[in-house]
Amino acid sequence: MKIKEVLETMDYGNAPESAEIAKAWIEKNNARFGLFIDGGFQFPEDREYFDTSNPATEQVLASICQAQSQDVEKAMQSARASQAQWEDIGGPARAKYLYALARLMQKHARLFSVVETLDNGKPIRESRDIDIPLVIRHYYFHAGAAQLKDSEMPDQRAHGVVAQVIPWNFPLLMMAWKIAPALAMGNTVVIKPAEYTSLSALLFAEICMEAGLPKGVVNILTGDGRVGEMIISHKEADKVAFTGSTSIGRRIREATAGQGKELTLELGGKSPYIVFDDADLDSAVEGLVDAIWFNQGEVCCAGSRLFVHEGIADVFHEKLRARMDKLRIGDPLDKSVDLGSIIDSKQLKSITERVKEGLKEGGNLYVGKCQLPDSGYYYPPTLITEVDPSCQLMQEEIFGPVLVGSTFRTPDEAVALANNTQYGLAASIWTENINLALDIAPKIKCGVAWINTTNQFDASAGFGGTRESGFGREGGWEGLYSYTRPANGLSDSIVQIKPKNGESIPADIGIDRTAKQFIGGKQLRPDSGYSYPIFSSKGTQIGLVGQGNRKDIRNAVEAANLAKKWGQSTAHLRAQILYYLGENLSIRATEFSERIVDMTGEDITSARKEVELSIERIFTYAAWADKFDGATHSAPIRGLALAMNEPVGTIGIICSDDFPLLGLVSAIAPALAMGNTCVVIPSEPYPLSATDLYQVFDTSDIPAGVINLVTAKHDEIVEAISGHMDLDALWYFGSSGLSATVEKLSATNLKRTWVNHGKFRNWTDSSQAEGKEFLRQSTEIKNIWVPYGE
Ligand code: NDP
């Protein structure tokens, strides 16, 4: 072909990468892989083996062992046996191992890239230039994190053994995101790669041996979902980390409920890609290539919902269609293809069916005019415009190269459309107006926002979602906290069981001394019309409180959600209001102390101390309100990665029965300081300290709806509040039984939970009851990426 023709057609030919290096490695292993347990490969007898294939050619690459329960047991015991020593060698010693892993992977980078592409079908350009460099960066970053752990995080320690399950779309990268921080913080791991893509994990096992990693620190068990299920529910797993579909994430939330395991979930998404009329349209089109056609769209944070400003929609779609026609799809080993193969025939079928079904509800279909190879699992780049926001195509994760879109007229409408989803993972915003971009980014419910860019990742910046995209962050300092727990743990002693209350009685009998519910700034009668008596420590009735039910919870959540503007008020204002609250409580300190004595039988000195500490705690969080700063991460881009602390939203708080005033104040003060609204269920036997607070709230300028209190019997109300779909988080400080219920029912909308599994938190001890752990529970970190330069 002549140069002139090349320039005209832009057909730059094929540039295949050789598969030989990977094939030689597979052959060296006789195309048969065992399980990596206790520092070596094991080939237990009588195990089944399954094939792993190259999806681009459908050729079998190797056979892989299906782990059984005995193998899970061995791996878990090995991880347990090595954990204490791994933690005790200290951060700098662990750093050396992580550094060695990074160096060795760098040395074998080409082999890793080819193995990944062969097993997964992703373009070699992506595995070579994106996945593997990010993997290596992750190990280097976390070598540094290990080095600094002892000096920078002295109050945190490892969870212990971590069970990790990862998907097939970024096999080695997801493994790095899981293993590197876990090891850096002193945990040992048992990890299950996805059935479709185990090869790069097994190659990594060899690297662990080459690096001389102590045995048992990393264990890799291959197999299907059953293996995942066994490791996450194993009694030795102290923490579970999962990346994959929302449906399996939900099952894992339910399966681990009440087991005392920390959980992070990185789940599905349907991320918005918003293009304003002043955007650089060519860049925005190119950005879409990275947003939805990167990795064939098999990306949890793919920009799969396109919202274009109405005035430029026609021009933009035309440019986009022209670009789609030029995308190259084919042999993933060809360095010049843009899209490789879909992972498997099942996934291809699922994409095809979702599109077919979705189109029945309407939409304008455009398929890129690229030529598809004759064999393998390929799906063309696809655009469907004029899709109604409530349609399946807009709501369901397709997990393929399919972009669906509609238009908007105003920034507010763009935000409303972006948030009209169950998910909350990522967002891309395209505009040349930085004021507009930085106004919109915090309004979108997501864990990561990219401005005039997309799909940026780095080990220094946390990644993760909100809502049904899961909870927890991977990467950055924020991610390290997911792999540690406070060193000053709660004690095992069971929560003190308080005296039983008497039977419920209708509220309106006799003189009405019933403390009402506090909802939306008003004192309201309980919906049930029933109250229950509160007794003094001597057994005499000292008051009645309303018996809250599902409707009260519904009304309280509704009021709290309406008051969410509190989160947008300045931190300074929130601090002022908290100081005012503290002052007003101190004016009434004597009355509150006497109330505590009355209810609990404490001596007056301890009661005074409790009130004093409560006031101090409010002042502490007033001080924190404008000091719990975010960060600017040092990601290797020309730009900023701003980690902003945002409020979680509306938090439900079921208070402890110990220290009825201090327990409540210690929980609500950080939540309010960080801009959350609250639905609070006070201590069941001692709720009068809480109901006495209504007047203090009223006189402290706290806006209506920011705090709502529903008095109720905890075991009767727990279902309604845990299952509520509009609550963003739920904290529970009580028995292990109800902790389990809270975790299990929270799976409905995958709200964040924080429970104490029946352990005792000493609310007078500031190392357990105050500080950053509370602030972290009260915030969601959003990373906003802002590139700069022309
Ligand atoms: P899954 O969520 O089913 O799989 C993720 C991982 O979990 C795999 O290792 C899987 O094993 C394992 N697993 C499956 N069942 C269980 C279980 N009960 N307990 C513990 N672990 C389990 O994703 P799929 O691979 O099946 O893909 C299904 C759909 O999920 C895709 O079509 C896509 O829409 C979405 N998805 C989303 C991802 C994201 O990051 N958002 C990533 C991957 C998929 P095995 O490999 O054997 O199935």
Side-chain angles (χ1 to χ4, degrees):
M1 194 186 278
K2 293 199 174 115
I3 299 228
K4 185 166 175 283
E5 281 168 1
V6 171
L7 286 174
E8 269 165 13
T9 59
M10 287 306 283
D11 184 357
Y12 31 87
N14 297 337
E17 171 78 45
S18 165
E20 286 316 308
I21 185 175
K23 287 190 177 149
W25 171 71
I26 292 171
E27 267 167 35
K28 191 186 86 187
N29 284 285
N30 301 320
R32 194 163 183 270
F33 290 88
L35 308 166
F36 187 66
I37 301 175
D38 206 31
F41 276 104
Q42 301 196 2
F43 293 84
E45 276 176 24
D46 305 328
R47 293 291 178 277
E48 282 174 18
Y49 279 73
F50 60 91
D51 288 340
T52 190
S53 312
N54 177 349
T57 59
E58 298 169 57
Q59 276 168 1
V60 173
L61 294 167
S63 59
I64 314 262
C65 184
Q66 165 75 36
Q68 296 296 328
S69 58
Q70 308 91 296
D71 310 317
V72 170
E73 197 55 42
K74 266 192 181 173
M76 284 291 177
Q77 293 308 339
S78 168
R80 173 60 69 207
S82 58
Q83 196 272 323
Q85 212 181 353
W86 177 246
E87 188 172 8
D88 290 348
I89 60 170
R94 291 196 300 276
K96 290 201 177 86
Y97 286 106
L98 285 158
Y99 186 75
L101 291 173
R103 293 293 277 176
L104 286 168
M105 294 183 84
Q106 207 160 23
K107 203 166 118 192
H108 298 292
R110 179 59 57 113
L111 172 59
F112 270 109
S113 310
V114 179
V115 166
E116 197 75 320
T117 283
L118 280 183
D119 206 16
N120 170 280
K122 61 172 69 204
I124 185 76
R125 209 162 39 83
E126 291 178 5
S127 51
R128 184 196 60 191
D129 299 345
I130 299 172
D131 291 39
I132 308 303
L134 274 174
V135 166
I136 294 164
R137 162 98 179 116
H138 227 76
Y139 283 97
Y140 277 129
F141 177 89
H142 285 93
Q147 182 77 24
L148 300 177
K149 151 86 185 61
D150 301 340
S151 61
E152 296 305 304
M153 302 170 76
D155 300 331
Q156 297 291 117
R157 57 171 306 184
H159 282 295
V161 174
V162 185
Q164 304 177 318
V165 179
I166 51 172
W168 41 258
N169 51 348
F170 292 91
L172 199 67
L173 186 58
M174 289 303 105
M175 191 158 88
W177 284 19
K178 297 273 176 295
I179 289 185
L183 262 46
M185 295 296 103
N187 303 278
T188 54
V189 310
V190 177
I191 188 165
K192 188 199 92 68
E195 212 178 330
Y196 291 136
T197 53
S198 305
L199 282 183
S200 55
L202 297 164
L203 176 56
F204 176 78
E206 288 188 3
I207 297 289
C208 292
M209 291 195 277
E210 208 177 328
L213 197 69
K215 58 182 193 174
V217 170
V218 169
N219 301 273
I220 301 173
L221 295 180
T222 46
D224 58 21
R226 286 170 296 174
V227 182
E229 212 162 335
M230 282 190 274
I231 68 168
I232 59 118
S233 47
H234 197 280
K235 63 182 186 328
E236 292 294 348
D238 299 306
K239 185 205 154 82
V240 170
F242 171 80
T243 298
S245 58
T246 294
S247 57
I248 299 292
R250 187 171 274 124
R251 271 170 68 176
I252 290 179
R253 168 68 292 178
E254 286 170 353
T256 55
Q259 296 181 349
K261 294 170 182 162
E262 281 298 315
L263 178 63
T264 41
L265 297 175
E266 202 271 272
L267 310 175
K270 191 85 184 174
S271 300
Y273 190 102
I274 304 170
V275 185
F276 284 95
D277 55 4
D278 64 349
D280 172 347
L281 297 192
D282 293 326
S283 298
V285 166
E286 215 44 47
L288 267 175
V289 176
D290 289 338
I292 185 66
W293 293 305
F294 170 55
N295 208 38
Q296 300 75 244
E298 296 166 329
V299 182
C300 52
C301 53
S304 50
R305 284 184 303 146
L306 171 66
F307 299 113
V308 186
H309 222 149
E310 198 176 78
I312 53 150
D314 289 344
V315 181
F316 187 77
H317 289 146
E318 203 177 308
K319 278 176 183 280
L320 182 57
R321 285 191 280 262
R323 183 68 183 93
M324 287 167 70
D325 292 343
K326 290 267 184 272
L327 288 170
R328 293 169 62 128
I329 183 164
D331 178 8
L333 279 173
D334 181 345
K335 281 169 237 160
S336 51
V337 304
D338 298 297
L339 283 88
S341 158
I342 298 296
I343 187 73
D344 182 72
S345 58
K346 261 203 229 156
Q347 184 67 11
L348 182 63
K349 189 162 170 244
S350 149
I351 299 169
T352 312
E353 278 173 5
R354 276 170 193 267
V355 170
K356 202 169 138 205
E357 273 303 301
L359 281 169
K360 289 185 185 159
E361 291 179 291
N364 211 338
L365 175 72
Y366 185 80
V367 179
K369 295 193 185 86
C370 352
Q371 216 181 334
L372 301 194
D374 298 333
S375 64
Y377 314 125
Y378 291 94
Y379 196 90
T382 300
L383 169 69
I384 308 170
T385 49
E386 292 169 46
V387 179
D388 194 86
S390 60
C391 287
Q392 279 178 50
L393 284 171
M394 272 286 183
Q395 294 297 327
E396 289 175 9
E397 192 180 38
I398 297 173
F399 225 62
V402 182
L403 178 64
V404 302
S406 74
T407 57
F408 67 88
R409 289 184 179 168
T410 62
D412 281 350
E413 197 192 349
V415 171
L417 285 167
N419 287 337
N420 182 18
T421 164
Q422 79 210 69
Y423 296 113
L425 194 51
S428 270
I429 302 155
W430 293 77
T431 165
E432 291 298 289
N433 180 349
I434 191 72
N435 298 339
L436 176 65
L438 289 176
D439 182 45
I440 299 285
K443 290 181 181 162
I444 297 182
K445 293 187 173 127
C446 60
V448 193
W450 294 295
I451 293 173
N452 294 328
T453 183
T454 192
N455 274 342
Q456 296 280 345
F457 312 99
D458 184 56
S460 66
F463 180 89
T466 62
R467 305 212 269 188
E468 295 191 26
S469 294
F471 42 79
R473 295 290 177 268
E474 296 187 301
W477 287 104
E478 54 259 45
L480 297 175
Y481 284 99
S482 303
Y483 282 98
T484 57
R485 60 190 159 91
N488 189 359
L490 307 183
S491 70
D492 277 332
S493 60
I494 299 161
V495 170
Q496 294 157 20
I497 305 296
K498 302 296 178 184
K500 282 253 177 285
N501 286 306
E503 287 303 300
S504 301
I505 47 175
D508 293 334
I509 290 179
I511 307 159
D512 186 5
R513 283 168 48 234
T514 308
K516 300 196 172 73
Q517 315 291 28
F518 186 65
I519 297 176
K522 295 197 184 99
Q523 295 193 33
L524 302 174
R525 283 173 198 282
D527 170 79
S528 66
Y530 277 85
S531 297
Y532 64 94
I534 302 301
F535 296 97
S536 73
S537 60
K538 299 194 183 89
T540 50
Q541 187 176 321
I542 50 173
L544 287 163
V545 293
Q547 192 165 317
N549 67 10
R550 187 175 290 276
K551 272 196 187 162
D552 297 312
I553 292 293
R554 189 193 61 196
N555 295 339
V557 173
E558 217 168 275
N561 281 336
L562 282 173
K564 272 189 171 161
K565 274 218 160 110
W566 173 247
Q568 288 157 26
S569 61
T570 64
H572 174 71
L573 178 79
R574 294 197 299 270
Q576 294 301 304
I577 291 177
L578 281 170
Y579 280 125
Y580 199 19
L581 178 68
E583 270 172 36
N584 286 331
L585 182 56
S586 83
I587 294 168
R588 299 174 60 176
T590 311
E591 181 194 323
F592 273 84
S593 310
E594 284 166 1
R595 177 66 99 180
I596 293 172
V597 172
D598 237 18
M599 286 189 302
T600 65
E602 292 275 331
D603 61 80
I604 186 70
T605 317
S606 345
R608 279 199 193 114
K609 181 85 194 148
E610 182 175 344
V611 177
E612 219 173 88
L613 275 173
S614 302
I615 296 162
E616 207 174 294
R617 208 141 279 169
I618 294 172
F619 282 169
T620 298
Y621 289 108
W624 267 119
D626 55 3
K627 293 173 195 67
F628 193 55
D629 296 330
T632 310
H633 290 308
S634 305
I637 56 157
R638 282 187 72 209
L640 307 168
L642 301 172
M644 282 187 26
N645 286 328
E646 295 191 338
V648 174
T650 296
I651 302 182
I653 302 174
I654 306 180
C655 294
S656 161
D657 286 344
D658 309 293
F659 301 99
L661 180 66
L662 183 60
L664 179 144
V665 163
S666 303
I668 63 169
L672 295 182
M674 293 298 106
N676 299 282
T677 56
C678 302
V679 173
V680 183
I681 317 290
S683 152
E684 181 181 321
Y686 308 133
L688 300 179
S689 294
T691 56
D692 289 348
L693 276 173
Y694 299 169
Q695 286 156 4
V696 186
F697 294 150
D698 276 343
T699 52
S700 306
D701 291 347
I702 295 180
V706 168
I707 304 180
N708 305 276
L709 280 111
V710 176
T711 50
K713 299 198 168 175
H714 291 184
D715 57 353
E716 287 173 14
I717 207 70
V718 72
E719 269 191 34
I721 191 160
S722 307
H724 200 292
M725 295 295 283
D726 278 336
L727 205 60
D728 301 297
L730 181 56
W731 302 351
Y732 172 69
F733 305 103
S735 70
S736 58
L738 291 196
S739 293
T741 309
V742 164
E743 288 190 334
K744 188 155 194 200
L745 298 181
S746 70
T748 46
N749 68 338
L750 287 165
K751 60 179 72 67
R752 259 174 88 172
T753 55
W754 186 29
V755 301
N756 65 339
H757 298 289
K759 293 198 173 173
F760 176 67
R761 187 181 295 272
N762 181 355
W763 294 101
T764 63
D765 175 356
S766 61
S767 74
Q768 284 190 0
E770 176 180 297
K772 293 211 177 138
E773 193 190 3
F774 285 76
L775 294 166
R776 278 195 291 273
Q777 291 292 348
S778 304
T779 45
E780 204 68 83
I781 297 181
K782 180 182 281 177
N783 273 279
I784 304 181
W785 293 66
V786 195
Y788 49 64
E790 281 298 306

